[in-house]
Amino acid sequence: MSDFDFGGDAFDLNSAEDREILQFVLSQALFGEATGVYCGKSLYAATSLEAARFYLRQARQELNHLELFAEIFRTLEITPKPAHWVIKVLSAHNNYYPLKVFMEHAIGEGMVLDIFRDVMMQTLPDSDPRVPEIKKKLAVVCREEEEHIAWGEKETKRFLAESPWLRHPYYGLLELQLSVAPIVTRAFAGRAAQHKVLRHLPRFVDHVKARVWKQGQELGFVPAVRPGLGYRLFAMTWGVLLFIRSQFSRSTSTLEKTYLTELGFTP
């Protein structure tokens, strides 16, 4: 069920301009699904059987999503383009697991779901005979993205309970993500006001920000009232430093040492 209403406005799949817009949006999605290969590193570093099962399942799902989006490109007869640099940054793998589940699953895939469910499912025209099959594929993707988000939220809550200090860098990174993500939409800023779908863009961006902010509050690291500039800068600096550290961290496997306990045996 979508939380945002485009008022019935839809793209025209026979319009060169609209096809260019969809090409851009779908290209970002295709890249995001290609990063599903990162699940291999997460599986290697899994600290529990539950996590190992999740990443094994997610790897299969993400690679299936990659094929589904490739089929959508072929159905619409458009060719993918390279991903925007912001998408590449936001999709970067984290070897530091507490950041991975927070940035990639809870927040990142939450924003991805906003695009798939709120934008694509509403604005692809049902009058076009190609669209019903495309929406079936998107429905599969949305359902499985919800699973990934639920895992990220569950693990984020666990880490916040175990390491309360993480609420500071988590908050700082959320502020940064909400600042950086809208940069992707600047490519359409000049024509947004005159386009029947893009004219909703500013309101949609505000909707996503509000939803993510509320999500952060429910997870327990975003305060009821936005902090002052001093704390925001402190939290963002901490978050950036932790993110940089995560890019140089090395994954290590532990499950081969803990499997007996994980299986319920006493070693």
Side-chain angles (χ1 to χ4, degrees):
M1 181 68 179
S2 175
D3 295 324
F4 186 85
D5 185 9
F6 279 87
D9 290 328
F11 289 107
D12 178 358
L13 298 186
N14 295 313
S15 160
E17 180 186 29
D18 285 10
R19 289 172 63 81
E20 179 190 352
I21 295 168
L22 287 170
Q23 179 188 44
F24 178 85
V25 174
L26 290 170
S27 293
Q28 313 316 307
L30 191 68
F31 175 81
E33 302 302 348
T35 62
V37 296
Y38 297 158
C39 293
K41 297 184 74 173
S42 302
L43 176 61
Y44 171 73
T47 57
S48 68
L49 280 176
E50 183 185 19
R53 293 188 191 102
F54 170 78
Y55 285 111
L56 186 62
R57 183 171 67 254
Q58 190 194 15
R60 289 197 301 265
Q61 291 173 341
E62 299 291 5
L63 292 176
N64 181 53
H65 296 175
L66 189 66
E67 295 290 346
L68 290 177
F69 275 105
E71 291 172 12
I72 292 173
F73 272 99
R74 295 186 184 104
T75 298
L76 295 176
E77 298 179 294
I78 54 179
T79 304
K81 286 193 170 184
H84 193 284
W85 68 267
V86 169
I87 301 301
K88 292 181 179 180
V89 170
L90 295 179
S91 301
H93 177 71
N94 275 287
N95 284 322
Y96 184 52
Y97 187 64
L99 277 196
K100 176 181 177 59
V101 293
F102 165 66
M103 291 186 69
E104 293 182 35
H105 299 318
I107 304 301
E109 293 192 87
M111 291 183 180
V112 167
L113 183 60
D114 289 330
I115 300 296
F116 294 165
R117 183 182 58 199
D118 291 344
V119 180
M120 302 303 294
M121 293 292 279
Q122 285 193 64
T123 61
L124 287 174
D126 291 323
S127 57
D128 189 295
R130 296 168 291 182
V131 167
E133 193 60 35
I134 290 174
K135 287 190 175 181
K136 286 181 183 178
K137 293 180 173 67
L138 289 173
V140 171
V141 174
C142 288
R143 183 173 63 251
E144 292 176 348
E145 292 293 343
E146 288 174 351
E147 294 178 19
H148 307 165
I149 296 164
W151 173 262
E153 291 182 335
K154 172 178 173 290
E155 290 290 85
T156 296
K157 288 179 180 178
R158 178 171 71 85
F159 280 115
L160 284 169
E162 294 175 357
S163 305
W165 62 268
L166 280 169
R167 71 182 186 276
H168 303 299
Y170 276 2
Y171 175 77
L173 287 167
L174 182 73
E175 285 274 7
L176 287 169
Q177 283 181 292
L178 292 180
S179 299
V180 171
I183 293 175
V184 179
T185 67
R186 290 180 183 173
F188 309 117
R191 44 185 160 169
Q194 291 76 37
H195 193 279
K196 59 183 178 180
V197 173
L198 295 185
R199 66 188 178 92
H200 297 281
L201 201 54
R203 193 165 55 89
F204 177 71
V205 170
D206 289 341
H207 161 76
V208 172
K209 286 183 175 180
R211 184 199 61 73
V212 174
W213 192 262
K214 182 180 178 182
Q215 181 188 21
Q217 290 178 329
E218 291 172 348
L219 290 173
F221 66 89
V222 172
V225 178
R226 191 183 187 198
L229 179 61
Y231 174 75
R232 296 203 305 272
L233 291 174
F234 161 75
M236 286 189 282
T237 301
W238 195 344
V240 168
L241 291 174
L242 197 59
F243 177 78
I244 292 172
R245 173 196 164 190
S246 76
Q247 299 305 296
F248 293 95
S249 298
R250 288 189 175 184
S251 297
T252 57
S253 63
T254 60
L255 199 54
E256 77 279 8
K257 304 177 184 69
T258 62
Y259 71 97
L260 290 176
T261 301
E262 286 289 322
L263 290 169
F265 297 105
T266 301

